[in-house]
Amino acid sequence: MTDKEKIEAIGEEAEAYSISSSLEDPVQHEQAEEIAKKIAGILDMKKALDVKIINVHEKTILADFFVFATGTSTTQVNSLADEVEFKLKTEYNIEPLRVEGAGSGSWVLIDYGSIIVHVLGVQSKEFYKLEKLWADGTEVPFEKTED
């Protein structure tokens, strides 16, 4: 297989993945920003630190939005992730496609298709620097709770 054929095959595979992901995507693009803001609000209300929404729609096919939050302990990281899952299921009937790292307390990733939620412990946030990696995305403002 030539290099050109390999590149074309990768492009076709990525396009097929993008199409199949959107078909099973519990959060469609049109509502993704609204749901990302609700997720950020849930995390903020539960006292997560450094809650941010980054629009990565133009940067990657992985998702349209990343939501980042930091927990100060393993218990809080797990609690924050659990609360997002619970609220989205009970209030909006939205379930994640997959959850990684649940129970670890260092980094929980919740995949809602168009939205990927990263709840990190302080050490994981400092080590991986995900927000810096996606800094060329656009930060989306959301309504924060009053202290």
Side-chain angles (χ1 to χ4, degrees), residues 3 9 14 63 66-67 80 82 85 92 103 109 139 143:
D3 287 343
F66 286 158
V67 179
L80 291 167
D82 289 346
E85 284 187 76
Y92 306 103
L109 181 143
E139 188 168 346
E143 200 168 312

Side-chain angles (χ1 to χ4, degrees), residues 47-147:
K47 306 297 183 202
L49 303 176
D50 304 322
V51 180
K52 288 186 182 169
I53 305 168
I54 306 291
N55 183 335
V56 294
H57 176 71
E58 299 292 326
K59 307 297 178 191
T60 182
I61 64 169
L62 296 175
D64 293 333
F65 297 92
F66 286 158
V67 179
F68 296 102
T70 305
T72 57
S73 67
T74 58
T75 303
Q76 188 186 25
V77 169
N78 292 326
S79 176
L80 291 167
D82 289 346
E83 187 71 7
V84 168
E85 284 187 76
F86 175 76
K87 292 274 189 182
L88 283 168
K89 173 63 178 154
T90 59
E91 294 180 18
Y92 306 103
N93 200 30
I94 299 172
E95 293 191 52
L97 295 171
R98 60 196 65 75
V99 177
E100 298 293 332
S104 73
S106 63
W107 179 3
V108 180
L109 181 143
I110 310 169
D111 182 357
Y112 287 104
S114 292
I115 303 165
I116 298 178
V117 182
H118 300 272
V119 183
L120 297 105
V122 175
Q123 290 177 330
S124 294
K125 178 186 176 186
E126 290 173 5
F127 183 78
Y128 291 106
K129 298 180 181 5
L130 292 179
E131 292 172 44
K132 185 175 181 183
L133 179 67
W134 295 101
D136 58 342
T138 306
E139 188 168 346
V140 177
F142 69 97
E143 200 168 312
K144 297 183 180 189
T145 58
E146 298 291 323
D147 285 332

